[in-house]
Amino acid sequence: MSGIDESLRPQKSRITIFDEPVICSFCSHDVYIPYEVFVNVEQPGVDVRHVRYIAICQHCGKAKQFGDPSHFEKDEFIWALNQYLISIRSYKIKVSFYVGKKNNDKITKFTNKLIQDFGIEKENINISYLKGVAELQIKISSLNEIQTIRTQIMNSARRLFITIKDLTIK
């Protein structure tokens, strides 16, 4: 993740500011979990708040506080903070669903929807079809938990009027 207009995710990651890694001054490691903090820097009662970050070193537990020095320069926005997530998980998904005898369009539409939703490459999908039941075997890498992935697949199937027979995520 780099140069994106969103907050740092509170996940184990490496953080850079202007492409320089954030290094712990206590133990010299560079793996952190960043958290967004709102700080009232004006007089009490004015309620003007600024966003700061506190990152917790995953080796020694020391907290490091920093801001986002991103700024405009000659009509161009210069991104300062970059985050490189470490904990991307891989999943194997097996989906069995009912299709009619002449309804290969359902398989194609559902496959294309999963490719779009999860950013899957076609080589990571195996399709088999037997007696009105299609089975997809998919390999994905995602930051999401199993329950979130299951919900996304079920919602995609529901929108396409597909009845899921079996859904396994490992």
Side-chain angles (χ1 to χ4, degrees):
M1 162 195 253
S2 72
I4 296 177
D5 187 21
E6 66 181 59
S7 302
L8 298 179
R9 294 180 184 177
Q11 295 178 338
K12 195 181 285 189
S13 57
R14 288 191 168 84
I15 302 166
T16 63
I17 301 175
F18 293 118
D19 294 329
E20 291 293 323
V22 175
I23 305 291
C24 180
S25 59
F26 189 73
C27 69
S28 300
H29 283 82
D30 65 342
V31 178
Y32 291 92
I33 296 180
Y35 296 95
E36 205 171 44
V37 178
F38 296 93
V39 181
N40 186 358
V41 295
E42 298 291 328
Q43 295 175 354
V46 176
D47 274 341
V48 175
R49 302 196 186 274
H50 295 278
V51 177
R52 299 279 189 256
Y53 288 100
I54 292 182
I56 309 298
C57 177
Q58 293 303 288
H59 184 72
C60 69
K62 183 171 172 51
K64 185 168 190 83
Q65 185 173 342
F66 57 94
D68 185 357
S70 301
H71 61 280
F72 276 100
E73 189 172 288
K74 297 181 184 175
D75 296 330
E76 185 179 354
F77 194 76
I78 307 298
W79 294 102
L81 290 178
N82 290 321
Q83 181 179 25
Y84 303 96
L85 299 174
I86 294 176
S87 60
I88 297 175
R89 295 173 288 279
S90 296
Y91 298 104
K92 291 182 181 179
I93 301 170
K94 187 168 118 178
V95 183
S96 300
F97 57 95
Y98 296 105
V99 292
K101 294 178 184 176
K102 296 181 180 179
N103 214 343
N104 288 335
D105 286 345
K106 276 190 176 184
I107 297 172
T108 305
K109 286 179 183 177
F110 190 50
T111 304
N112 290 340
K113 181 68 174 149
L114 292 177
I115 288 171
Q116 177 187 358
D117 288 351
F118 294 106
I120 305 167
E121 295 182 19
K122 290 199 177 213
E123 301 86 49
N124 293 336
I125 296 179
N126 295 322
I127 302 171
S128 60
Y129 178 74
L130 182 64
K131 296 183 181 179
V133 176
E135 182 178 284
L136 300 177
Q137 293 183 358
I138 307 166
K139 294 178 186 176
I140 67 167
S141 295
S142 177
L143 296 169
N144 294 328
E145 298 294 327
I146 288 177
Q147 192 58 39
T148 305
I149 293 170
R150 180 182 310 279
T151 302
Q152 284 179 304
I153 292 171
M154 296 300 283
N155 286 339
S156 295
R158 185 179 44 83
R159 280 188 225 110
L160 295 171
F161 302 104
I162 292 175
T163 303
I164 300 286
K165 178 182 177 187
D166 185 41
L167 175 58
T168 307
I169 303 174
K170 294 181 185 179

